[in-house]
Amino acid sequence: MWTSLEPAAITVDPGSVARVRLRVRNTGDTVEEYRLRPAGAAAGWTRVEPDVLRLYPGAEGTAQVEFAPPRTSDAVAGPTPFGIRVEPAEHPEIRDVVEGQVTVGPFSELRCELVPLTVRGRWRAKASVAVDNLGNQPLTVSLSGRENGDALTVEAEPTSVQVAPGRAGFVQLSIRPGTVSWVGGLNKHPFTVSVQRAGAPEPTELRGTYLQPSVLPRWAMAVLSLLVVAALAFVALWFRTVPKVSTSAREKPGQSKKLPEKEKPSAPAPSQPPEEKPEEKPEEQPPEEPADDGGGEEQGPKEQTIRSNINGGWYLQANGGSQEDGTQIGQSPQWTGDQFGRNQWWIIHHYPEDNTVALESASAPGSVAQLKPNTNEVELWAADPEQLNSGGLPPHQKWRLTDAGDGRTRIVNMRNQECLTDLQNDKGALSGKCADGPWDRQDWKIADGQ
């Protein structure tokens, strides 16, 4: 068998198509059928047409290898090796792999979001900027609060962040007013945050509003004024009003008489003390036996759904209902029922000794949600049965549920102490730095039903 790739190296832009020619010659003495299969990192967006060549001895066939990288972060910019497996059906022992190189052109796409758009605080407030890298090359982004006058100061921490392709970065904003409003109601201060991507001519501007309530509300000042006026009026009336008492009754001369003295009543005879009756003891009541409420047996973990609080609630799911290790944990905006098995149902194992949980997929029994090593991506992976029952799982497979108020829950991974975040970009779920206040992307609702 003889093979040749023409050319062996090619360049293609994301969203475009490029082709190379694969030549195969049958150097044997029998009719042979050759199966052609792409291999390597580019196999997901590589197609061979036709994928089967049937050649007589000494004959030569040609196939087109087509590269169509998507305009997403899945096709990383730069050179990527690829291979085409040539597998003879009659003589599989002489199979071969034809190797080449495809260079994917770079493109940049950035999406920024200010969360929340409106913040509130008397002395200071905090917000976050979510930076999504939708391109296929790393991006460096710098943030700064544009000149907002003396009324407001906006500081970013950190001031720059590098985001890998298909990943998201978070920057915390500290917002402080220039002066404290003691009296006057609610003050509104608009502010602007500039997001500058390296190499881009113009920055992206994010606008928000800072609401600064007064320390003393107007109604409190009105009530205090009324109380002061009432107190002053009471004091003035108290010292100005002096009560005077007079009578017109007079004693007539010669009419006074001495009243006869009354006889003193004799002392009453001593009365006999009443007979003491024996003290009656209350009847002893038999102790009441506690009612059996049937709570002796502890129920096991239930199957529950986990929904984010943004845009009506996206369901956390094992994508495609797959049971294989490395399956992405993603989000779906709709309830799919049993279309892919039970991929949107989760069994939550609670471990009281350290107040942690494990999230077991109902569609893949024994597999739990974990952080992919050296990343912040969430995937499905088979757990050790004894560790799953005892709670001895490694930190990247354990989570902690914290109450976020209003029936919401934060899901925090024990490896990096980051919160499970729903980016709603049809990709896998990620962990991100936990926001200080309410954030619908990191607030989840756990329920027994939909």
Side-chain angles (χ1 to χ4, degrees), residues 346-390:
W346 298 90
I347 301 174
I348 301 180
H349 299 267
H350 182 243
Y351 309 116
E353 58 273 8
D354 58 357
N355 194 24
T356 59
V357 300
L359 304 179
E360 180 185 7
S361 174
S363 65
S367 297
V368 299
Q370 70 169 19
L371 281 189
K372 187 177 181 179
N374 303 321
T375 69
N376 66 340
E377 300 176 7
V378 185
E379 64 178 3
L380 197 66
W381 203 269
D384 183 86
E386 294 184 1
Q387 293 180 347
L388 181 60
N389 293 331
S390 64

Side-chain angles (χ1 to χ4, degrees), residues 8-206:
I10 193 172
T11 301
V12 61
D13 293 327
S16 301
V17 177
R19 298 177 179 85
V20 298
R21 185 173 64 172
L22 174 63
R23 298 169 58 192
V24 180
R25 182 183 303 161
N26 183 1
T27 59
D29 53 2
T30 60
V31 177
E32 187 64 84
E33 184 177 85
Y34 300 93
R35 297 182 179 88
L36 310 178
R37 301 287 184 271
W45 36 272
T46 303
R47 189 179 67 173
V48 181
E49 184 64 32
D51 58 356
V52 175
L53 293 176
R54 184 176 179 83
L55 302 177
Y56 288 95
E60 181 178 307
T62 302
Q64 293 288 335
V65 182
E66 182 179 282
F67 302 97
R71 192 175 175 81
T72 65
S73 58
D74 295 334
V76 181
T80 301
F82 71 90
I84 305 298
R85 291 192 183 95
V86 183
E87 301 176 348
E90 299 296 332
H91 300 85
E93 69 277 1
I94 62 172
R95 62 181 178 272
D96 189 16
V97 177
V98 184
E99 297 181 349
Q101 178 175 284
V102 56
T103 301
V104 180
F107 80 96
S108 300
E109 185 174 348
L110 187 68
R111 183 173 62 188
C112 306
E113 182 180 1
L114 179 63
V115 181
L117 296 176
T118 302
V119 294
R120 184 186 182 98
R122 289 184 174 89
W123 319 102
R124 62 181 299 176
K126 289 188 176 182
S128 300
V129 175
V131 181
D132 296 335
N133 184 1
L134 305 181
N136 65 348
Q137 60 179 341
L139 294 180
T140 300
V141 179
S142 60
L143 294 92
S144 63
R146 204 180 66 180
E147 182 60 39
N148 296 289
D150 298 333
L152 215 59
T153 301
V154 181
E155 296 180 352
E157 179 62 34
T159 56
S160 63
V161 61
Q162 188 174 31
V163 187
R167 302 289 296 276
F170 298 89
V171 178
Q172 298 293 328
L173 298 178
S174 179
I175 307 169
R176 295 192 300 270
T179 57
V180 178
S181 176
W182 295 99
V183 182
L186 187 66
N187 299 321
K188 294 184 179 181
H189 304 291
F191 66 91
T192 304
V193 179
S194 295
V195 182
Q196 179 68 53
R197 175 172 60 85
E202 296 293 335
T204 301
E205 293 186 347
L206 305 177

